[in-house]
Amino acid sequence: MSVLYDRLALEHPGAPVIYLSTGAWNVAPTLTRFLSRNLYPAGPLLLTDWGPTHDRIFRSGRQHKVDSLKRLAEELPDVKWLLIGDDGQHDEEIYGEFALEHPDRVAAVAIRQLSAGEAVLAGGRTKAEGYAEKTSVPWVSAPDGAGLATELKRIGLL
């Protein structure tokens, strides 16, 4: 995946690279080291707080992603996003809903298909609920960065 991200950064100079994750802020140093050591392009981390809220014991990672995408759309109105996620933590649904609401703001959605072991660690797989057919936004998926690169090249983003 790091090679894919690097190719995208080279192909689209000046485009922001933002890492949106359900991970908690206390993992930021570890995550930053991982990204740097594995040669991912530099970019800010949008992580979530850990702990209870007024109505639940644990914060909603899904809601964090939804709210963060909304905020990014508002704060960076001229950016057309390539949303990259996986089929493990509702990314397909979250990105699909965002693409339906803001089709002019999404260049494409790219979903990495988790391996069986990764899916177990992620708590299972989610389904896109046909978002690829519901929106005019290009939708690609593959099991790894090389496959996603091939698909992104096919639709003209690489």
Side-chain angles (χ1 to χ4, degrees):
M1 291 299 291
S2 64
V3 173
L4 170 63
Y5 280 58
D6 189 53
R7 287 182 63 193
L8 286 164
L10 289 172
E11 185 74 23
H12 303 279
V17 176
I18 299 172
Y19 298 97
L20 174 56
S21 173
T22 59
W25 281 108
N26 64 328
V27 302
T30 302
L31 184 54
T32 300
R33 278 192 306 276
F34 172 85
L35 293 170
S36 176
R37 288 179 181 163
N38 289 282
L39 304 177
Y40 281 83
L45 304 174
L46 293 181
L47 304 175
T48 189
D49 294 321
W50 183 254
T53 66
H54 69 283
D55 64 343
R56 46 189 312 159
I57 294 176
F58 294 104
R59 295 181 185 271
S60 168
R62 183 190 188 291
Q63 193 61 49
H64 163 68
K65 284 188 173 183
V66 169
D67 293 345
S68 294
L69 281 174
K70 180 180 177 184
R71 193 177 96 219
L72 287 169
E74 291 170 358
E75 293 180 6
L76 301 169
D78 297 327
V79 173
K80 193 164 187 171
W81 300 97
L82 168 58
L83 303 173
I84 301 173
D86 60 50
D87 63 359
Q89 290 189 347
H90 306 290
D91 289 347
E92 292 173 294
E93 180 184 352
I94 295 165
Y95 295 170
E97 289 173 7
F98 185 81
L100 283 172
E101 293 172 18
H102 308 282
D104 57 323
R105 304 292 307 283
V106 181
V109 175
I111 299 294
R112 186 175 70 84
Q113 300 156 335
L114 298 178
S115 69
E118 291 170 327
V120 168
L121 293 174
R125 287 193 174 94
T126 59
K127 291 295 175 197
E129 301 296 327
Y131 285 106
E133 293 80 30
K134 293 179 186 176
T135 180
S136 59
V137 172
W139 197 284
V140 300
S141 62
D144 54 31
L148 287 174
T150 299
E151 291 299 306
L152 291 170
K153 186 174 183 179
R154 181 181 56 80
I155 63 171
L157 287 178
L158 263 181

